[in-house]
Amino acid sequence: QVHLVESGGGLVQAGGSLRLSCAHSGRRFSTTTMGWFRQAPGKEREFVAAISWILDNTVYADSVKGRFTISRDNPKNTLYLQMNALKIGDKAVYYCAASRVALNIVATGYNYWGQGTQVTVSS
């Protein structure tokens, strides 16, 4: 019932910026937490950032603190990830996810996932 669609990925040089968006929809959207994860080939899915849908609580992975900012626009049902000072290591498919439980950083705690959007960082 809940659908998530990411957009905004692309190719950017190291040090550049991208903003990812995640549009979510559902009849009675009961999401408590929205988050971003990423996965590179051969690697496990990695937590990036999460935000409470009602409150303003946020949490970030250490690897992106100070560079990425998660935000939301509730009336537009949209989640964002502003990525600045991108590094080669940030290259991955980025997924947005929705959870009906409290803010967390564990992938298994999320109930719905988008299809992902590719972020490529070049030198």
Side-chain angles (χ1 to χ4, degrees), residues 31-116:
T31 295
T32 300
T33 304
M34 295 289 292
W36 288 97
F37 291 77
R38 65 187 183 185
Q39 187 168 24
K43 295 185 177 180
E44 297 181 353
R45 188 161 296 188
E46 176 188 18
F47 170 77
V48 176
I51 187 170
S52 169
W53 194 244
I54 302 300
L55 304 176
D56 203 31
N57 308 60
T58 59
V59 61
Y60 295 89
D62 289 340
S63 60
V64 305
K65 286 181 179 177
R67 300 189 299 119
F68 291 10
T69 302
I70 188 171
S71 62
R72 50 172 168 77
D73 188 334
N74 295 40
K76 295 182 179 179
N77 293 321
T78 303
L79 176 74
Y80 302 99
L81 183 68
Q82 178 66 46
M83 305 185 294
N84 298 326
L86 283 162
K87 303 176 180 179
I88 298 296
D90 295 322
K91 179 182 179 180
V93 176
Y94 283 71
Y95 300 89
C96 67
S99 174
R100 294 180 176 179
V101 299
L103 187 65
N104 70 87
I105 63 172
V106 181
T108 55
Y110 287 79
N111 307 97
Y112 306 99
W113 295 84
Q115 83 289 348

